[in-house]
Amino acid sequence: MSTAQDPWFQSLFADRIGGAGYGKDTKIYKFEKIKRAKRAALAAHPERQLLDFGIGENDEMADPVVREALKREVERLENRGYADNGIQAFKDAAAAFLKRQFGVDLDPATEVNHCIGSKPALAMLPACFINPGDVTLMTVPGYPVAGTHTAYYGGEVYKLPLREENGFFPDLKSIPADVRRRAKLLVINYPNSPTGATATRDFYKQVIDFARTNQVVVVQDAAHGLLTYDGPPTSFLQMDGAKEVGVEVHSLSKGFNMIGWRIGFVAGHGKLVQAFADVKDNCDSGQFMAIQQAAKVALEHPEIAERTREKYRRRLRKLVAALGQVGFQAKMPSGTYFLYAKAPKAGGGRTFANAEEVSQFLIAEQSLCCVPWDDAGAFLRFSVTYLARDEAEEDALMRATVERLGRLRLQF
């Protein structure tokens, strides 16, 4: 029911965003709670440095060679207009990158299409397949965008928990038969955010077999694809049969320090890429061509990603050691720049019902920020994308972390 305070159009909001109740939900979402708690901690303790392990974005600028390329390209008349589904130069560079990095052969004209970052691609792909009643299979914890848009189209999301005892892989055999019959998409993400697991060849083989048997399209989110520490980066498309069942979504944000540039690409089966491109063509007019040209340069410089990977490998090792000193069973992740560790059950004179309570307590009492995940057990996600100018500042941050957490006498 409308009230006198409601605007005249209150009843017109679509059900997918809350219908007539839109804007009246008092629930505070996890990341908003964290932001509010950080503001409160800074106000209460302005003298105390905020140790922020919650930031999930690279802490340095794009490489100078990429920035210089943008400066050149932005001055060129031919880059002024709409890019629509992308310039061929970027598609060629993306295909060449996949060939050089992973040994994957793709037709750059038909099997690659740019996207304005991986998030819009994951939002658009359900539009290619999901009708009311269809199912998208998604891992949790994970990035929810494809699931959100599945629901927008009247579809359903079936959650596959990532549990430590399963190596943080989904149990595909556990999916009920009626769900498998209605499923159209399987969204996976490796290296996995936030667990840090990387995919094995055996897991990818299981995924391909599942997709063929159940006629499900695979969407592999490779946003952290170049950040691996247990071996060289791998691609879903390297596997025999992968291109026949799906696509891989790549981003230049993590590996190339281009988080704000909003550039990535979808690669895989030509018909799937075409469907994505058709939907995209009705959603945006393409990324600025100067950015695509600069991204082309980035893809031609693999040493950028190598430096980025080694930096975060170093920081993760330091964080694993620091958290280990205060009781965490922290292990070096196989990939990403996140460390995913079991949350303590008590500390600082109180007990915790879940990871969210731990997170809020640490921000309020110790000005230390990390992100809680309670989807498949109580875990905390620590990011090593904090701001630090050099290794000396990294080491100082680790000492402060050990000091603050150590005084709590955490129990697990």
Side-chain angles (χ1 to χ4, degrees):
M1 292 291 292
S2 295
T3 69
Q5 291 75 36
D6 287 338
W8 64 268
F9 48 77
Q10 184 69 39
S11 63
L12 304 185
F13 286 115
D15 290 343
R16 68 179 60 90
I17 66 167
Y22 174 72
K24 300 181 179 184
D25 189 350
T26 58
K27 181 180 178 181
I28 304 173
Y29 293 97
K30 174 170 61 181
F31 286 97
E32 178 59 28
K33 285 183 180 180
I34 291 173
K35 290 177 183 178
R36 294 185 185 186
K38 285 166 63 173
R39 290 195 294 267
L42 288 168
H45 298 282
E47 79 292 348
R48 191 165 67 189
Q49 177 190 7
L50 179 69
L51 308 182
D52 198 345
F53 296 103
I55 302 171
E57 58 185 50
N58 299 48
D59 57 298
E60 63 180 282
M61 296 174 69
D63 192 87
V65 70
V66 179
R67 304 202 308 269
E68 287 301 320
L70 180 64
K71 292 175 186 177
R72 291 193 307 270
E73 297 296 334
V74 80
E75 296 293 341
R76 294 183 173 169
L77 180 68
E78 62 267 29
N79 288 333
R80 76 193 185 285
Y82 298 123
D84 295 326
N85 269 320
I87 59 174
Q88 193 59 46
F90 177 73
K91 296 179 184 182
D92 291 344
F97 160 79
L98 291 173
K99 175 64 174 176
R100 182 185 65 246
Q101 183 74 54
F102 306 113
V104 172
D105 286 299
L106 292 178
D107 182 343
T110 61
E111 297 177 331
V112 179
N113 202 88
H114 95 293
C115 52
I116 307 180
S118 58
K119 183 176 184 178
L122 294 169
M124 293 176 195
L125 282 164
C128 302
F129 299 99
I130 300 300
N131 293 317
D134 292 338
V135 173
T136 293
L137 307 169
M138 292 193 66
T139 55
V140 290
Y143 198 50
V145 171
T148 300
H149 283 260
T150 291
Y152 283 176
Y153 296 119
E156 300 172 20
V157 175
Y158 185 84
K159 296 180 179 181
L160 297 166
L162 300 178
R163 303 192 187 281
E164 187 175 30
E165 57 267 29
N166 291 334
F168 298 118
F169 295 125
D171 182 1
L172 300 178
K173 295 178 181 178
S174 70
I175 302 171
D178 67 307
V179 174
R180 293 199 308 270
R181 281 194 297 270
R182 293 186 294 124
K184 283 189 173 179
L185 292 177
L186 168 61
V187 181
I188 57 174
N189 162 223
Y190 290 92
N192 184 259
S193 170
T195 70
T198 53
T200 62
R201 293 184 66 83
D202 182 63
F203 170 68
Y204 276 154
K205 185 178 183 301
Q206 290 178 38
V207 167
I208 293 167
D209 290 344
F210 177 88
R212 284 174 171 161
T213 301
N214 297 282
Q215 297 187 326
V216 171
V217 172
V218 178
V219 177
Q220 147 64 359
D221 173 9
H224 288 260
L226 295 177
L227 301 181
T228 61
Y229 314 112
D230 60 348
T234 61
S235 167
F236 175 65
L237 296 174
Q238 286 176 292
M239 296 292 297
D240 290 340
K243 193 175 75 169
E244 282 64 50
V245 300
V247 293
E248 190 163 62
V249 183
H250 284 263
S251 167
L252 277 75
S253 293
K254 275 67 176 180
F256 292 94
N257 293 319
M258 296 174 68
I259 52 168
W261 295 58
R262 311 314 304 136
I263 186 70
F265 58 92
V266 175
H269 194 289
K271 197 74 169 182
L272 301 177
V273 172
Q274 179 185 351
F276 164 72
D278 285 344
V279 170
K280 178 183 174 301
D281 206 24
N282 285 281
C283 292
D284 65 60
S285 297
Q287 182 54 281
F288 182 30
M289 283 184 271
I291 289 179
Q292 291 188 61
Q293 292 284 7
K296 168 185 176 292
V297 172
L299 291 171
E300 294 168 345
H301 286 268
E303 72 276 7
I304 298 174
E306 291 168 5
R307 287 196 300 267
T308 304
R309 180 165 59 250
E310 291 312 306
K311 169 186 171 179
Y312 290 130
R313 185 200 305 269
R314 180 186 72 236
R315 288 188 174 188
L316 283 163
R317 284 174 172 165
K318 291 180 180 181
L319 183 59
V320 168
L323 293 181
Q325 289 184 58
V326 297
F328 281 87
Q329 297 298 307
K331 299 177 182 178
M332 184 71 186
S334 297
T336 79
Y337 43 49
F338 298 130
L339 180 57
Y340 188 71
K342 285 185 178 179
K345 297 178 180 178
R350 60 167 293 178
T351 58
F352 307 110
N354 51 41
E356 185 170 299
E357 285 190 5
V358 179
S359 172
Q360 290 289 306
F361 174 79
L362 293 179
I363 298 172
E365 299 300 323
Q366 298 299 328
S367 296
L368 188 148
C369 179
C370 55
V371 176
W373 291 95
D374 286 302
D375 301 85
F379 285 81
L380 298 174
R381 189 201 78 181
F382 295 82
S383 174
V384 292
T385 57
Y386 52 77
L387 293 174
R389 289 173 294 185
D390 51 35
E391 285 204 55
E393 287 195 0
E394 292 175 9
D395 294 338
L397 183 63
M398 293 302 102
R399 288 193 296 270
T401 299
V402 171
E403 178 186 356
R404 294 190 198 179
L405 293 179
R407 67 175 68 128
L408 299 177
R409 300 184 182 277
L410 299 173
Q411 301 171 40
F412 292 84

